[in-house]
Coordinates of all heavy atoms in Angstrom, one line a residue:
M27 N 115.8 84.3 123.4 CA 114.6 84.6 122.6 C 113.7 85.7 123.3 O 113.1 86.5 122.6 CB 113.7 83.3 122.6 CG 112.5 83.3 121.6 SD 112.9 83.7 119.8 CE 111.4 84.2 119.3
K28 N 113.9 85.7 124.7 CA 113.1 86.7 125.4 C 113.6 88.1 125.1 O 112.9 89.0 124.9 CB 113.1 86.5 126.8 CG 112.1 87.1 127.7 CD 112.4 86.9 129.0 CE 111.7 85.6 129.5 NZ 111.7 85.4 130.9
Y29 N 114.9 88.2 124.8 CA 115.5 89.5 124.5 C 114.9 90.1 123.2 O 114.9 91.3 123.0 CB 116.9 89.5 124.6 CG 117.6 89.3 125.9 CD1 118.2 88.0 126.4 CD2 117.4 90.3 126.9 CE1 118.7 88.0 127.5 CE2 118.0 90.1 128.0 CZ 118.7 88.9 128.4 OH 119.0 88.8 129.8
L30 N 114.8 89.2 122.2 CA 114.3 89.6 120.9 C 113.0 90.1 121.0 O 112.7 91.2 120.4 CB 114.2 88.3 120.0 CG 114.5 88.6 118.5 CD1 115.8 89.0 118.3 CD2 114.2 87.3 117.7
I31 N 112.2 89.6 121.8 CA 110.7 90.1 122.0 C 110.9 91.5 122.8 O 110.1 92.5 122.3 CB 110.0 89.2 122.8 CG1 109.7 87.8 122.1 CG2 108.5 89.7 123.2 CD1 109.2 86.8 122.8
V32 N 111.6 91.6 123.7 CA 111.8 92.9 124.5 C 112.4 94.0 123.4 O 111.9 95.1 123.4 CB 112.7 92.7 125.6 CG1 113.0 94.0 126.2 CG2 112.1 91.9 126.6
L33 N 113.4 93.6 122.6 CA 113.9 94.5 121.6 C 112.9 94.9 120.6 O 112.8 96.1 120.3 CB 115.1 93.9 121.0 CG 116.0 94.7 120.3 CD1 116.9 95.5 121.3 CD2 116.9 93.9 119.3
A34 N 112.1 94.0 120.1 CA 111.0 94.3 119.2 C 110.1 95.3 119.8 O 109.5 96.3 119.2 CB 110.2 93.1 118.7
L35 N 109.7 95.0 121.1 CA 108.8 96.0 121.7 C 109.3 97.4 121.9 O 108.6 98.3 121.8 CB 108.5 95.4 123.2 CG 107.3 96.0 124.0 CD1 105.9 95.7 123.2 CD2 107.1 95.5 125.3
L36 N 110.5 97.4 122.2 CA 111.2 98.7 122.5 C 111.2 99.4 121.1 O 110.9 100.7 121.0 CB 112.6 98.5 123.0 CG 112.6 98.2 124.6 CD1 114.1 97.9 124.9 CD2 112.1 99.4 125.3
A37 N 111.5 98.7 119.9 CA 111.5 99.3 118.8 C 110.2 99.9 118.3 O 110.2 100.9 117.9 CB 112.2 98.4 117.6
Y38 N 109.2 99.1 118.7 CA 107.9 99.6 118.3 C 107.5 100.8 119.2 O 106.9 101.7 118.5 CB 106.8 98.3 118.6 CG 105.5 98.8 118.6 CD1 104.8 99.0 117.4 CD2 104.8 99.0 119.7 CE1 103.4 99.5 117.2 CE2 103.4 99.3 119.6 CZ 102.8 99.6 118.5 OH 101.5 100.1 118.5
L39 N 107.8 100.7 120.4 CA 107.5 101.9 121.1 C 108.3 103.1 120.7 O 107.7 104.2 120.7 CB 107.8 101.6 122.7 CG 106.8 100.7 123.4 CD1 107.4 100.4 124.8 CD2 105.5 101.3 123.5
Y40 N 109.5 103.0 120.3 CA 110.3 104.0 119.8 C 109.7 104.7 118.5 O 109.6 105.8 118.4 CB 111.7 103.5 119.6 CG 112.5 104.6 119.0 CD1 113.1 105.6 119.7 CD2 113.0 104.5 117.6 CE1 113.9 106.7 119.1 CE2 113.8 105.4 117.1 CZ 114.2 106.6 117.7 OH 115.0 107.4 117.3
F41 N 109.3 103.9 117.6 CA 108.8 104.3 116.4 C 107.4 105.1 116.7 O 107.0 106.0 116.1 CB 108.7 103.3 115.3 CG 110.0 103.0 114.7 CD1 110.7 101.8 114.9 CD2 110.7 104.0 114.0 CE1 112.0 101.5 114.3 CE2 111.8 103.8 113.4 CZ 112.5 102.4 113.6
A42 N 106.6 104.3 117.5 CA 105.3 104.9 117.9 C 105.5 106.3 118.4 O 104.7 107.4 118.3 CB 104.6 104.1 118.8
W43 N 106.4 106.5 119.2 CA 106.8 107.7 120.0 C 107.3 108.7 118.9 O 106.8 110.0 119.0 CB 107.8 107.6 121.0 CG 108.3 108.8 121.6 CD1 107.7 109.5 122.5 CD2 109.7 109.2 121.5 NE1 108.5 110.6 122.9 CE2 109.7 110.4 122.2 CE3 110.8 108.9 120.7 CZ2 110.7 111.3 122.3 CZ3 111.8 109.7 120.8 CH2 112.0 110.9 121.6
R44 N 108.1 108.3 118.0 CA 108.5 109.3 117.1 C 107.5 109.7 116.1 O 107.3 110.9 115.7 CB 109.6 108.5 116.1 CG 111.1 108.7 116.8 CD 112.0 108.3 115.7 NE 112.0 109.0 114.5 CZ 112.9 109.0 113.6 NH1 114.0 108.5 113.8 NH2 112.7 109.7 112.4
K45 N 106.6 108.8 115.7 CA 105.4 109.1 114.9 C 104.4 110.2 115.5 O 103.9 111.1 115.0 CB 104.6 107.8 114.6 CG 103.7 108.0 113.3 CD 102.9 106.7 113.1 CE 101.9 106.9 112.1 NZ 101.2 105.6 111.9
Q46 N 104.3 109.9 117.0 CA 103.3 110.8 117.6 C 104.0 112.2 117.7 O 103.3 113.1 117.6 CB 103.2 110.2 119.0 CG 102.0 110.9 119.7 CD 101.8 110.2 121.1 OE1 102.7 109.8 121.7 NE2 100.6 110.4 121.6
R47 N 105.3 112.3 117.9 CA 106.0 113.6 117.9 C 105.9 114.3 116.6 O 105.7 115.4 116.5 CB 107.3 113.4 118.3 CG 107.6 113.3 119.7 CD 109.1 113.0 120.1 NE 110.0 114.1 119.5 CZ 110.6 115.1 120.3 NH1 110.3 115.1 121.5 NH2 111.2 115.9 119.8
G48 N 105.9 113.5 115.5 CA 105.9 114.1 114.2 C 104.6 114.7 113.9 O 104.4 115.7 113.3
N49 N 103.6 113.9 114.3 CA 102.2 114.4 113.9 C 101.7 115.7 114.7 O 101.0 116.4 114.2 CB 101.2 113.3 114.3 CG 101.3 112.1 113.2 OD1 101.9 112.3 112.1 ND2 100.8 110.9 113.6
R50 N 102.1 115.7 115.9 CA 101.8 116.8 116.8 C 103.0 117.7 117.3 O 103.5 117.4 118.3 CB 100.9 116.4 117.9 CG 99.6 115.9 117.4 CD 98.7 115.5 118.6 NE 99.3 114.5 119.4 CZ 98.7 114.0 120.6 NH1 97.8 114.7 121.0 NH2 99.3 113.1 121.2
P51 N 103.5 118.5 116.5 CA 104.8 119.4 116.8 C 104.4 120.4 117.7 O 103.4 121.1 117.6 CB 105.3 119.9 115.6 CG 104.0 120.0 114.6 CD 103.2 118.8 115.0
G52 N 105.1 120.5 118.8 CA 104.9 121.5 119.8 C 103.9 121.3 120.7 O 103.3 122.3 121.4
N53 N 103.4 120.1 121.0 CA 102.3 119.8 121.8 C 102.8 119.9 123.3 O 102.1 120.2 124.1 CB 101.7 118.5 121.5 CG 102.6 117.4 121.7 OD1 103.8 117.5 121.8 ND2 102.0 116.2 121.8
S54 N 104.2 119.7 123.5 CA 104.6 119.7 124.9 C 104.7 121.1 125.4 O 104.4 121.5 126.5 CB 105.9 119.1 125.0 OG 106.7 119.7 124.1
A55 N 105.2 122.0 124.5 CA 105.2 123.5 124.8 C 104.3 124.3 124.0 O 104.5 124.5 122.8 CB 106.7 124.0 124.6
R56 N 103.2 124.7 124.7 CA 102.2 125.3 123.8 C 102.7 126.8 123.6 O 102.9 127.5 124.5 CB 100.8 125.3 124.6 CG 100.1 124.1 124.5 CD 98.8 124.2 125.0 NE 98.1 122.9 125.0 CZ 96.8 122.8 125.3 NH1 96.2 123.9 125.7 NH2 96.3 121.6 125.2
S57 N 102.8 127.1 122.3 CA 103.3 128.5 122.1 C 102.2 129.5 122.1 O 101.1 129.1 121.5 CB 104.0 128.5 120.6 OG 103.1 128.0 119.6
P58 N 102.3 130.5 122.6 CA 101.3 131.5 122.7 C 101.1 132.2 121.2 O 102.1 132.1 120.4 CB 101.7 132.7 123.6 CG 103.3 132.6 123.6 CD 103.4 131.0 123.2
G59 N 99.9 132.8 121.0 CA 99.6 133.3 119.7 C 98.5 132.7 119.0 O 98.3 131.5 119.2
P60 N 97.7 133.4 118.4 CA 96.5 133.0 117.8 C 96.9 131.8 116.6 O 96.2 130.9 116.4 CB 95.7 134.0 117.2 CG 96.7 135.2 117.1 CD 97.8 134.8 118.2
E61 N 97.8 132.1 115.8 CA 98.1 131.3 114.7 C 99.6 131.0 114.6 O 100.4 131.9 115.0 CB 97.6 131.8 113.5 CG 98.0 133.2 113.1 CD 97.4 133.7 111.8 OE1 96.2 134.2 112.0 OE2 97.9 133.6 110.8
R62 N 100.1 129.9 114.1 CA 101.4 129.7 114.0 C 102.0 130.1 112.6 O 101.4 129.6 111.6 CB 101.7 128.1 114.1 CG 103.1 127.9 114.7 CD 103.1 126.3 115.0 NE 103.1 125.5 113.8 CZ 104.0 125.1 113.1 NH1 105.2 125.6 113.3 NH2 103.8 124.4 112.0
R63 N 103.0 130.9 112.6 CA 103.6 131.5 111.3 C 104.9 130.7 111.1 O 105.6 130.4 112.0 CB 103.5 132.8 111.3 CG 102.2 133.5 111.1 CD 102.4 135.1 111.0 NE 101.1 135.6 110.8 CZ 100.5 135.9 109.7 NH1 101.0 135.5 108.5 NH2 99.2 136.3 109.6
S64 N 105.2 130.7 109.9 CA 106.7 130.1 109.6 C 107.7 131.0 110.0 O 107.5 132.2 110.3 CB 106.8 129.8 108.2 OG 106.5 130.8 107.4
E65 N 108.9 130.6 110.0 CA 110.1 131.4 110.5 C 110.3 132.7 109.7 O 111.0 133.6 110.1 CB 111.4 130.6 110.5 CG 111.4 129.6 111.6 CD 110.5 128.5 111.4 OE1 110.1 128.2 110.3 OE2 110.3 127.6 112.4
T66 N 109.8 132.6 108.3 CA 110.0 133.7 107.5 C 109.0 134.8 107.8 O 109.1 135.9 107.2 CB 109.9 133.4 106.0 OG1 108.7 132.8 105.7 CG2 111.1 132.5 105.7
G67 N 108.1 134.5 108.6 CA 106.9 135.5 108.8 C 105.8 135.5 107.8 O 104.8 136.1 108.0
A68 N 106.0 134.8 106.7 CA 104.8 134.7 105.7 C 103.9 133.7 106.1 O 104.2 132.7 106.8 CB 105.5 134.3 104.3
A69 N 102.6 133.9 105.7 CA 101.5 133.0 106.0 C 101.8 131.7 105.1 O 102.5 131.8 104.1 CB 100.1 133.6 105.6
P70 N 101.4 130.6 105.7 CA 101.6 129.3 105.0 C 100.9 129.4 103.7 O 99.8 129.8 103.5 CB 101.0 128.4 105.9 CG 100.4 129.1 107.0 CD 100.8 130.4 107.1
Q71 N 101.6 128.7 102.7 CA 100.9 128.7 101.4 C 99.8 127.6 101.2 O 100.0 126.6 101.8 CB 102.1 128.3 100.3 CG 103.0 129.6 100.1 CD 102.4 130.7 99.4 OE1 101.5 130.5 98.5 NE2 102.7 131.9 99.7
E72 N 98.8 128.1 100.6 CA 97.8 127.1 100.3 C 98.2 126.2 99.0 O 98.5 126.9 98.1 CB 96.3 127.7 100.2 CG 95.4 126.7 99.9 CD 94.1 127.5 99.5 OE1 94.0 128.6 99.4 OE2 93.0 126.7 99.2
M73 N 98.2 125.0 99.2 CA 98.5 124.2 98.0 C 97.3 123.8 97.2 O 96.3 123.5 97.7 CB 99.3 122.9 98.5 CG 100.5 123.2 99.3 SD 101.8 124.1 98.3 CE 102.4 122.7 97.3
V74 N 97.5 123.9 95.9 CA 96.4 123.6 94.9 C 97.0 122.5 94.0 O 98.2 122.2 94.0 CB 95.9 124.7 94.2 CG1 95.3 125.8 95.0 CG2 97.1 125.4 93.3
C75 N 96.1 121.8 93.2 CA 96.4 120.7 92.4 C 96.1 121.0 90.9 O 95.1 121.6 90.8 CB 95.6 119.5 92.9 SG 96.2 117.9 92.2
C76 N 97.0 120.7 90.0 CA 96.7 121.0 88.7 C 95.6 120.0 88.1 O 95.7 118.8 88.4 CB 98.1 120.8 87.9 SG 97.9 121.0 86.2
D77 N 94.7 120.6 87.5 CA 93.6 119.8 87.0 C 94.0 118.8 85.9 O 93.4 117.9 85.6 CB 92.5 120.7 86.5 CG 91.7 121.4 87.7 OD1 92.2 121.0 88.8 OD2 90.8 122.1 87.4
R78 N 95.2 119.2 85.3 CA 95.5 118.3 84.1 C 96.6 117.3 84.5 O 96.2 116.1 84.2 CB 96.3 119.2 83.1 CG 96.7 118.5 81.7 CD 95.5 118.0 81.0 NE 94.7 119.1 80.6 CZ 94.8 119.8 79.3 NH1 95.7 119.6 78.6 NH2 94.0 120.8 79.2
C79 N 97.6 117.6 85.2 CA 98.5 116.6 85.6 C 98.6 116.2 87.0 O 99.3 115.2 87.4 CB 99.8 116.9 85.1 SG 100.6 118.4 86.0
G80 N 97.9 116.8 87.9 CA 97.8 116.6 89.3 C 99.0 117.1 90.1 O 99.1 116.7 91.3
L81 N 99.8 117.9 89.4 CA 101.0 118.4 90.3 C 100.5 119.4 91.4 O 99.6 120.2 91.1 CB 101.8 119.2 89.3 CG 103.1 119.8 89.9 CD1 104.1 118.8 90.0 CD2 103.7 121.0 88.9
H82 N 101.1 119.2 92.5 CA 100.8 120.2 93.6 C 101.7 121.4 93.6 O 102.9 121.3 93.4 CB 101.0 119.5 94.9 CG 99.8 118.6 95.3 ND1 99.8 117.3 94.6 CD2 98.7 118.6 96.0 CE1 98.6 116.7 95.1 NE2 98.0 117.4 95.9
L83 N 101.1 122.5 93.7 CA 102.0 123.9 93.9 C 101.3 124.8 94.6 O 100.0 124.9 94.8 CB 102.2 124.3 92.2 CG 101.0 124.8 91.6 CD1 101.4 125.7 90.3 CD2 100.2 123.7 91.0
P84 N 102.1 125.8 95.0 CA 101.4 127.0 95.8 C 100.3 127.7 94.9 O 100.5 127.8 93.8 CB 102.5 127.8 96.1 CG 103.7 127.0 96.0 CD 103.4 126.1 94.9
R85 N 99.3 128.2 95.5 CA 98.1 128.8 94.9 C 98.7 130.0 94.1 O 98.2 130.3 93.0 CB 97.0 129.2 95.8 CG 96.0 129.9 95.1 CD 94.8 130.1 96.0 NE 94.0 128.9 96.4 CZ 93.1 128.3 95.5 NH1 92.9 128.8 94.4 NH2 92.5 127.4 96.0
N86 N 99.7 130.8 94.7 CA 100.1 132.0 94.1 C 101.0 131.7 92.9 O 101.2 132.6 92.0 CB 100.8 132.9 95.0 CG 102.1 132.3 95.5 OD1 102.4 131.0 95.3 ND2 102.8 133.1 96.2
E87 N 101.4 130.5 92.6 CA 102.1 130.1 91.4 C 101.3 129.3 90.5 O 101.8 129.1 89.3 CB 103.3 129.2 91.8 CG 104.4 129.9 92.6 CD 105.4 128.9 92.9 OE1 105.7 127.9 92.3 OE2 106.2 129.3 93.9
S88 N 100.0 129.1 90.7 CA 99.1 128.4 89.9 C 98.5 129.4 89.0 O 98.4 130.5 89.0 CB 98.1 127.7 90.8 OG 97.2 128.6 91.2
L89 N 98.0 128.8 87.8 CA 97.2 129.5 86.7 C 95.7 129.1 86.8 O 95.5 127.9 86.9 CB 97.8 129.3 85.4 CG 99.2 129.6 85.2 CD1 99.8 129.2 83.9 CD2 99.5 131.1 85.3
T90 N 94.9 130.0 86.7 CA 93.4 129.8 86.7 C 92.8 130.0 85.3 O 93.4 130.8 84.6 CB 92.8 130.5 87.8 OG1 92.9 132.0 87.5 CG2 93.3 130.2 89.1
D91 N 91.8 129.3 85.0 CA 91.1 129.7 83.8 C 89.9 130.3 83.7 O 89.0 130.5 82.8 CB 91.0 128.1 83.0 CG 89.9 127.3 83.9 OD1 89.6 127.7 85.0 OD2 89.4 126.2 83.4
G92 N 89.6 130.9 85.0 CA 88.4 131.7 85.1 C 87.1 130.7 85.4 O 86.0 131.4 85.7
R93 N 87.3 129.5 85.3 CA 86.1 128.6 85.7 C 86.3 127.8 86.9 O 85.7 126.8 87.1 CB 85.8 127.6 84.4 CG 85.5 128.4 83.1 CD 84.9 127.4 82.2 NE 85.9 126.3 81.9 CZ 86.9 126.4 81.0 NH1 86.8 127.5 80.1 NH2 87.8 125.5 80.6
G94 N 87.3 128.2 87.6 CA 87.7 127.5 88.9 C 88.7 126.5 88.7 O 89.0 125.8 89.7
G95 N 89.3 126.3 87.6 CA 90.2 125.3 87.5 C 91.5 125.9 87.7 O 91.8 127.1 87.5
T96 N 92.5 125.1 88.3 CA 93.9 125.5 88.6 C 94.7 124.7 87.8 O 94.7 123.4 87.7 CB 94.1 125.4 90.0 OG1 93.7 124.0 90.5 CG2 93.2 126.4 90.8
F97 N 95.8 125.2 87.3 CA 96.7 124.5 86.4 C 98.3 124.9 86.8 O 98.5 126.0 87.3 CB 96.5 124.8 84.9 CG 95.1 124.5 84.6 CD1 94.1 125.5 84.6 CD2 94.8 123.1 84.2 CE1 92.8 125.1 84.2 CE2 93.5 122.8 83.9 CZ 92.5 123.8 83.9
C98 N 99.2 124.0 86.5 CA 100.5 124.3 86.8 C 101.3 125.2 85.8 O 102.3 125.9 86.2 CB 101.3 123.0 87.0 SG 101.4 122.2 85.6
C99 N 100.8 125.2 84.6 CA 101.5 126.0 83.6 C 100.5 126.4 82.4 O 99.3 125.8 82.4 CB 102.7 125.3 83.0 SG 102.2 123.5 82.4
A100 N 100.9 127.3 81.6 CA 100.0 127.7 80.5 C 99.8 126.5 79.5 O 98.6 126.5 79.1 CB 100.7 128.8 79.7
Q101 N 100.6 125.6 79.3 CA 100.2 124.4 78.4 C 99.0 123.7 78.9 O 98.2 123.2 78.2 CB 101.5 123.5 78.2 CG 102.5 124.1 77.2 CD 103.4 125.0 78.0 OE1 103.6 125.0 79.2 NE2 104.1 126.0 77.3
H102 N 99.0 123.5 80.2 CA 98.1 122.6 80.9 C 96.7 123.3 80.8 O 95.7 122.8 81.0 CB 98.5 122.1 82.3 CG 99.4 121.0 82.1 ND1 100.1 120.4 83.2 CD2 100.0 120.5 81.0 CE1 100.9 119.5 82.8 NE2 100.9 119.5 81.5
R103 N 96.8 124.8 80.9 CA 95.5 125.5 81.0 C 94.9 125.5 79.7 O 93.6 125.6 79.6 CB 96.0 127.1 81.4 CG 94.7 127.8 81.6 CD 95.1 129.1 82.2 NE 96.0 129.8 81.3 CZ 96.4 131.0 81.6 NH1 96.1 131.7 82.7 NH2 97.3 131.7 80.9
E104 N 95.7 125.3 78.5 CA 95.0 125.3 77.2 C 94.1 124.1 77.0 O 94.5 123.0 77.3 CB 96.1 125.3 76.1 CG 97.0 126.5 76.1 CD 96.3 127.8 75.9 OE1 95.4 127.8 75.1 OE2 96.5 128.7 76.6
P105 N 92.9 124.2 76.5 CA 92.0 123.1 76.5 C 92.4 122.1 75.4 O 92.2 120.9 75.6 CB 90.6 123.7 76.1 CG 90.7 125.2 76.2 CD 92.2 125.5 76.1
G106 N 93.0 122.6 74.4 CA 93.3 121.6 73.2 C 94.6 120.8 73.5 O 94.7 119.7 72.9
S107 N 95.5 121.3 74.2 CA 96.7 120.4 74.4 C 96.5 119.3 75.3 O 95.6 119.1 76.0 CB 97.8 121.3 75.2 OG 97.4 121.5 76.4
A108 N 97.3 118.2 75.0 CA 97.2 117.0 75.6 C 97.9 116.9 77.0 O 99.0 117.2 77.0 CB 97.7 115.8 74.6
Ligands
ZN16 ZN1 99.9 120.5 85.1

C-alpha cells in the first residue's frame, strides 16, 4: 500500500514537471536576442477569430469588412448569409 502512494506521488511530480517544462520552453537555457523567431525566420502569426463561426485563423488569411470585423471566408463576411 505504501508503494502505491509513493508511485502516485512520483507520477504527480512527473506530470507537474512536464507541465512546467511545456509552459516555459527554454527557461533553462536563455537564448540571446530580443525576440524569439520561429525556425523559418518569419514572425509569428497573429491569430484572429471569425466573427461569424468563431474559427481561428492567421490574420493574413482572414477577411475584413472595413468595420473591424474579421471573417474566415467571403460567405461569413456577407451580412445576409446565415
Ligand atoms: Zn467563419
Side-chain angles (χ1 to χ4, degrees):
M27 188 62 198
K28 193 182 278 185
Y29 289 112
L30 207 67
I31 296 168
V32 173
L33 198 71
L35 188 70
L36 284 172
Y38 169 75
L39 287 172
Y40 174 71
F41 282 114
W43 172 72
R44 275 190 54 161
K45 192 178 175 186
Q46 195 178 27
R47 274 176 62 102
N49 286 346
R50 291 185 294 173
N53 61 344
S54 57
R56 284 194 180 180
S57 59
E61 61 185 83
R62 205 170 68 87
R63 290 184 178 267
S64 61
E65 283 76 11
T66 56
Q71 288 289 329
E72 182 186 359
M73 299 298 285
V74 295
C75 193
C76 175
D77 287 357
R78 182 66 60 89
C79 68
L81 182 79
H82 286 78
L83 70 161
R85 181 176 284 283
N86 65 350
E87 291 179 20
S88 68
L89 299 173
T90 58
D91 62 352
R93 297 191 301 269
T96 52
F97 304 93
C98 66
C99 58
Q101 283 85 24
H102 287 176
R103 187 171 57 177
E104 298 300 319
S107 67

